[in-house]
Amino acid sequence: MSFLSQNASTILTLTIEHLWLTASAMFFAAAIAIPAGILLARSPRWARPVIGIANILQTIPSLAMFGFLLPLPWLGDRAARIAIVALTAYALLPILRNTYAGIRGIDPSLVEVARALGLTSRQRLFKIELPLAASFILAGLRTATVTCVGIATIAAAVGAGGLGELIFRGVASVDNRLVLAGAIPAALLALAADGILGLLEKLTAVKQ
Amino acid sequence: MTTPPPTPAIHFRNVSFALANGQLLLDRISLSLDEGTTTAILGRSGSGKTTLLRTVNRLLDPTNGEVLLSGVNARDRNLIALRRSIGYVIQEVGLFPHFTLERNVALVLEAESTPLAQRIRRAHELLTAVGLAPDTFAGRFPRQLSGGQRQRAGLARALAADPPILLMDEPFGALDPLTRLEMQQMMRSLLQRFRKTVLLVTHDLDEALYLADRIVLLDSGRILANLTPQEFLRSAQPEVRAYVQAFRRALPADPATAPPTQEAAP
């Protein structure tokens, strides 16, 4: 107990840092991957190569990814920048893939009727396609968020902070309490994100 | 001097449509639909019926020839305005599952930014016209309807912007026979009430006879016959006779029109 009370403010600060890293990365990833997924759904011949690239990004081991970004100008100046860029890269694939699949998966007769009714391309997107694909897109965001909360712990390796710092410190000093002080809040964050986004996903699901 | 014939509402002029692989789905179709008339397109699956229908609202553009709407080439009109002036009803109906019936029916008006109150009034008017009491149905979602009710709502939606032209692609094909009959009767009375130029694709000769002023028989992308229902029934043209007999044979309960069979012969 005394361990907790001694470290409470550190844990809190690092949790907020962790959240901040993940949330920023999710913001950028969504801002890139949702529009990209929409574009791919409109011109599916690009889907394979583009999703392929996102797939490759996903396979880079996270420690290596942070390492690659370290020597880059501007990015390398601040560890948080590296962390956010790396996390964004990991979050792209699930969001991109789900946005694409969600829109492509809409019943073709609905898409045809939307065209035949004379909806403009923008009206089709906002009134029909996005609402019908919303739960898919949210499922992608959920997968991406949970992954990112986990990977963000590695960001401490390049000094970006976050709960990983406690884990790394704990490993270095063979102190399991420190490891758990980082791992448990990280796991709780992941569970919370999963729960909240899962709920949103359920709320936006269109009953057929 | 006699007055010139009125400009047809829809005029297919030498319309051909070929797929990218060269397969010809429509082969130099020329056909005129007078304003306010109903034309049924009959033919086997793959004869080009749906393809022809879809050149009117430009879901497809002919690879050759042109479609004139009241004398104006469909290609020269604004695509969005053109489509909003043409009602479209398909077998799958295509009601949007995330919208209530009211919103589904008035979607074209919503797309045109018509004020909400006006949209709702129009939606209720049309739901009433197709036999779906607005008090009960306006707020329902498509999943809460039967197949026949969905098809009624689809028809109401197609009429929302009061389009002069109505395209119907096997609208009642997926319904059970009794519901289909009800829908056909409703359709007939609606057509008497609202004067529309209708292009109706169907497999069902009885439907064509009941609803259409002209029956066009299509085969391999060509027009084999373009007749009134009476002419169609009496035609000696082998392809037309074959089509009529195929239907009469499906109705053995009616001995007056059934062709004699060997079993029936003494």
Side-chain angles (χ1 to χ4, degrees), chain B residues 110-210:
Chain B
E110 183 180 329
E112 288 180 333
S113 309
T114 309
L116 179 67
Q118 206 174 323
R119 261 150 49 194
I120 290 180
R121 201 173 333 123
R122 180 72 178 149
H124 287 205
E125 192 179 300
L126 284 163
L127 285 171
T128 310
V130 297
L132 296 173
D135 287 347
T136 314
F137 289 100
R140 288 206 186 168
F141 286 90
R143 64 175 184 277
Q144 299 167 314
L145 302 184
S146 71
Q149 290 166 339
R150 268 181 228 169
Q151 201 49 267
R152 283 169 193 265
L155 188 57
R157 180 174 63 186
L159 295 169
D162 199 17
I165 294 174
L166 205 50
L167 304 176
M168 308 183 82
D169 193 352
E170 292 188 48
F172 315 129
L175 304 175
D176 67 84
L178 284 176
T179 309
R180 189 185 311 153
L181 190 72
E182 283 169 22
M183 292 295 294
Q184 288 163 349
Q185 285 166 347
M186 182 190 74
M187 192 63 217
R188 193 151 123 154
S189 68
L190 279 178
L191 288 179
Q192 282 159 359
R193 234 172 98 191
F194 311 107
R195 196 174 132 87
K196 303 282 175 207
T197 307
V198 182
L199 190 57
L200 169 74
V201 163
T202 179
H203 282 297
D204 183 348
L205 177 63
D206 286 322
E207 184 168 295
L209 293 171
Y210 185 64

Side-chain angles (χ1 to χ4, degrees), chain B:
Chain B
M1 222 180 96
T2 56
T3 51
T7 316
I10 306 176
H11 185 182
F12 299 95
R13 195 152 71 190
N14 261 315
V15 169
S16 295
F17 182 81
L19 295 177
N21 65 16
Q23 193 192 340
L24 204 55
L25 298 185
L26 295 176
D27 187 3
R28 287 161 293 160
I29 297 276
S30 285
L31 176 66
S32 285
L33 277 67
D34 290 333
E35 206 188 309
T37 63
T38 298
T39 302
I41 311 275
L42 291 176
R44 292 171 193 258
S45 306
S47 58
K49 306 187 294 287
T50 296
T51 309
L52 184 67
L53 183 103
R54 299 175 74 183
T55 62
V56 179
N57 59 358
R58 295 192 52 202
L59 290 172
L60 296 172
D61 277 322
T63 41
N64 257 306
E66 54 219 8
V67 181
L68 306 175
L69 303 174
S70 301
V72 181
N73 193 331
R75 272 184 202 247
D76 296 338
R77 295 196 35 195
N78 173 286
L79 182 63
I80 299 299
L82 171 92
R83 286 179 175 164
R84 287 179 187 169
S85 71
I86 298 174
Y88 188 60
V89 184
I90 55 174
Q91 183 172 335
E92 301 83 5
V93 194
L95 293 175
F96 299 107
H98 58 308
F99 289 163
T100 59
L101 278 204
E102 189 174 83
R103 194 158 175 208
N104 261 294
V105 168
L107 190 59
V108 184
L109 305 178
E110 183 180 329
E112 288 180 333
S113 309
T114 309
L116 179 67
Q118 206 174 323
R119 261 150 49 194
I120 290 180
R121 201 173 333 123
R122 180 72 178 149
H124 287 205
E125 192 179 300
L126 284 163
L127 285 171
T128 310
V130 297
L132 296 173
D135 287 347
T136 314
F137 289 100
R140 288 206 186 168
F141 286 90
R143 64 175 184 277
Q144 299 167 314
L145 302 184
S146 71
Q149 290 166 339
R150 268 181 228 169
Q151 201 49 267
R152 283 169 193 265
L155 188 57
R157 180 174 63 186
L159 295 169
D162 199 17
I165 294 174
L166 205 50
L167 304 176
M168 308 183 82
D169 193 352
E170 292 188 48
F172 315 129
L175 304 175
D176 67 84
L178 284 176
T179 309
R180 189 185 311 153
L181 190 72
E182 283 169 22
M183 292 295 294
Q184 288 163 349
Q185 285 166 347
M186 182 190 74
M187 192 63 217
R188 193 151 123 154
S189 68
L190 279 178
L191 288 179
Q192 282 159 359
R193 234 172 98 191
F194 311 107
R195 196 174 132 87
K196 303 282 175 207
T197 307
V198 182
L199 190 57
L200 169 74
V201 163
T202 179
H203 282 297
D204 183 348
L205 177 63
D206 286 322
E207 184 168 295
L209 293 171
Y210 185 64
L211 293 175
D213 303 297
R214 309 249 0 147
I215 299 180
V216 171
L217 183 62
L218 219 57
D219 187 61
S220 311
R222 288 164 179 253
I223 293 182
L224 290 182
N226 175 2
L227 304 165
T228 66
Q230 292 77 18
E231 289 167 348
F232 197 89
L233 282 180
R234 289 197 303 261
S235 172
Q237 196 180 333
E239 298 91 347
V240 177
R241 280 184 66 83
Y243 207 94
V244 173
Q245 279 179 3
F247 263 85
R248 287 298 167 254
R249 204 166 303 158
L251 298 170
D254 185 356
T257 51
T261 58
Q262 284 185 339
E263 286 85 346

Side-chain angles (χ1 to χ4, degrees), chain A residues 4 17 49 66 75 87 90 96 109 116 120 128 132 152 173 177:
Chain A
L4 260 189
E17 226 170 66
F66 289 113
L75 266 186
L87 293 175
Y90 285 116
L96 183 67
S109 68
T120 61
I128 311 297
L132 290 177
S173 58
R177 289 177 310 175

